Amino acid sequence: MSDLLLEVIALDARDAEQAEAGGADRIELVCDMAADGLTPTAATARRVLAATDLPVRAMLRDAAGFAPESLTRLCRDAVALRELGVTEFVLGFLDDRGAVDVGVCRTVLGELDGARWTFHRALDNAADPLAAWDEVVELGADTVLTAGSKHGVAQGIPMLRELAARQCEGAPVVMAGGGLRVDQVSGLRSAGVRCFHVGSAVRPQGWDQPVSAEAVRSWVELISGD
């Protein structure tokens, strides 16, 4: 798929296996989608790493919202996941003004030993998403997962186009996700978005059932234009 990328949310090893079978490029590993995705357990991470050869990005988030419940615990979890073999991560924190919490981000990043990482949809909930983008560039993320709006891709298309225009050498790539629909992909690709993130879209029977390899395959074909 050249520079195109499809990332699939996985909750466990079976999800990871199905995502790989369907042709996904990367896994975002989380738990508790009722809270929009929290840090996976060490046991789950171990099983997922054993089940797939795909890159696995583990979420570092210990509470709903965009502030850590316990920064100490979050850092401890980051170290534990690294020791298990996780080499890529997902994180993002805001302060009480809705700005990127650079201090908290740097504290967590300090435990990752230069690992590649995604700044997640905290950007969509920032008071000023464009200012947040500039902060994330400085922090060194290689990817920003964004819907362009806290209400999802359907309302975030203009911001996604603006962020895609800011991609350049040394800046993060934009990964569109958050209620992403099939009919939105072509327009986003035309705007310069090359990376896509799906969760419920590849679970035809809902979050209580595993990822569907067939559904993943259809998304691979869609974003590659086959």
Side-chain angles (χ1 to χ4, degrees):
M1 287 168 52
S2 64
D3 62 334
L4 296 167
L5 181 141
L6 180 68
E7 181 179 87
V8 173
I9 297 174
L11 302 177
D12 54 29
R14 185 175 179 188
D15 284 346
E17 290 168 345
Q18 291 295 299
E20 183 169 8
D25 299 287
R26 192 167 72 203
I27 299 296
E28 181 191 71
L29 180 60
V30 306
C31 74
D32 195 358
M33 283 306 297
D36 294 323
L38 302 180
T39 305
T41 66
T44 297
R46 185 182 297 109
R47 289 191 290 268
V48 167
L49 291 172
T52 182
D53 292 324
L54 293 179
V56 175
R57 292 206 171 188
M59 180 67 74
L60 292 173
R61 184 168 177 255
D62 67 349
F66 300 99
E69 183 174 283
S70 168
L71 185 54
T72 299
R73 180 176 63 205
L74 204 60
C75 289
R76 185 171 63 241
D77 289 345
V79 171
L81 289 168
R82 280 190 56 229
E83 290 176 347
L84 283 173
V86 177
T87 60
E88 302 182 28
F89 294 88
V90 183
L91 60 105
F93 305 101
L94 302 176
D95 62 23
D96 56 10
R97 299 176 293 109
V100 174
D101 195 325
V102 174
V104 169
C105 289
R106 288 197 186 282
T107 297
V108 177
L109 291 170
E111 304 295 343
L112 302 188
D113 194 30
R116 300 176 69 181
W117 62 285
T118 298
F119 190 89
H120 64 61
R121 291 193 59 201
L123 186 94
D124 299 340
N125 290 266
D128 183 342
L130 296 180
W133 171 271
D134 292 338
E135 295 279 18
V136 173
V137 171
E138 290 296 319
L139 285 168
D142 70 1
T143 305
V144 173
L145 170 59
T146 173
S149 166
K150 64 182 178 181
H151 302 296
V153 171
Q155 295 188 39
I157 298 293
M159 180 59 69
L160 282 165
R161 290 180 178 275
E162 174 65 29
L163 293 174
R166 294 182 175 228
Q167 295 176 119
C168 62
E169 186 175 354
V173 298
V174 172
M175 182 165 60
L180 182 66
R181 300 195 313 259
V182 166
D183 62 290
Q184 296 162 336
V185 170
S186 177
L188 289 170
R189 280 199 55 184
S190 296
V193 176
R194 309 292 288 170
C195 301
F196 299 87
H197 170 96
V198 291
S200 60
V202 293
R203 294 174 183 266
Q205 300 181 60
W207 286 102
D208 291 336
Q209 297 299 316
V211 165
S212 162
E214 182 178 353
V216 172
R217 194 170 298 112
S218 70
W219 273 88
V220 171
E221 294 171 353
L222 173 67
I223 71 172
S224 63
D226 294 344

